[in-house]
Amino acid sequence: MSNLTKIEIITRPNRFYEFQKALAEIGVSGLTVTKALGTGLEKGLIELYRGKKKENNVHERMKIEIVVSTVPVEAVLEVVKNTLRTGEPGDGKVFIYPMAEVIKISTGERGVDALQDHPKEK
């Protein structure tokens, strides 16, 4: 069985394109991105709503999911550090999970082969 790892990153969306470009440079081409809302240590904004002050501490976030097998996890973490870290609260979190298996639905390929893009035969 190959070494499959899922890396899940929750961060601000404003640096995504720089992050995506840096991932491509280390050989990561596939990822899943989801818009998310979240709260944490980052301070909220005080808004005036119908004459009353209201604190809004829910912030727009992006959830990025990557599965790697041949690219080292540490290389991905280095890209995270170099592109997403500002040193301020709200930079986000990284979660790392070992994966038991991955199967490509269209072909039935498993493991590393399921992660590879194969040109379609004509």
Side-chain angles (χ1 to χ4, degrees):
M1 170 95 49
S2 59
N3 188 19
L4 297 166
T5 305
K6 179 179 180 180
I7 303 168
E8 188 176 286
I9 302 155
I10 301 175
T11 190
R12 294 182 183 106
N14 60 334
R15 295 178 180 226
F16 174 71
Y17 294 106
E18 179 184 348
F19 175 69
Q20 185 181 24
K21 183 178 175 185
L23 283 177
E25 290 172 5
I26 65 167
V28 175
S29 59
L31 49 90
T32 301
V33 179
T34 308
K35 289 184 178 183
L37 298 174
T39 63
L41 296 176
E42 188 177 17
K43 295 190 186 221
L45 300 172
I46 304 294
E47 298 175 338
L48 195 59
Y49 180 73
R50 294 189 177 184
K52 294 185 178 182
K53 288 184 180 180
K54 179 181 175 190
E55 183 175 1
N56 181 3
N57 62 352
V58 178
H59 303 279
E60 183 179 335
R61 293 289 177 256
M62 181 175 278
K63 180 178 174 183
I64 304 163
E65 297 169 278
I66 305 165
V67 176
V68 294
S69 59
T70 56
V71 175
V73 172
E74 288 301 321
V76 175
L77 296 177
E78 190 67 21
V79 169
V80 168
K81 182 178 84 173
N82 292 336
T83 60
L84 301 177
R85 179 187 285 174
T86 67
E88 298 294 323
D91 280 350
K93 300 277 190 291
V94 178
F95 303 94
I96 301 170
Y97 309 94
M99 294 196 61
E101 182 65 284
V102 60
I103 302 167
K104 186 183 273 187
I105 296 171
S106 63
T107 63
E109 292 172 292
R110 293 175 170 257
V112 177
D113 291 337
L115 297 177
Q116 307 301 320
D117 288 331
H118 301 292
K120 292 182 181 179
E121 296 179 18
K122 292 186 179 188

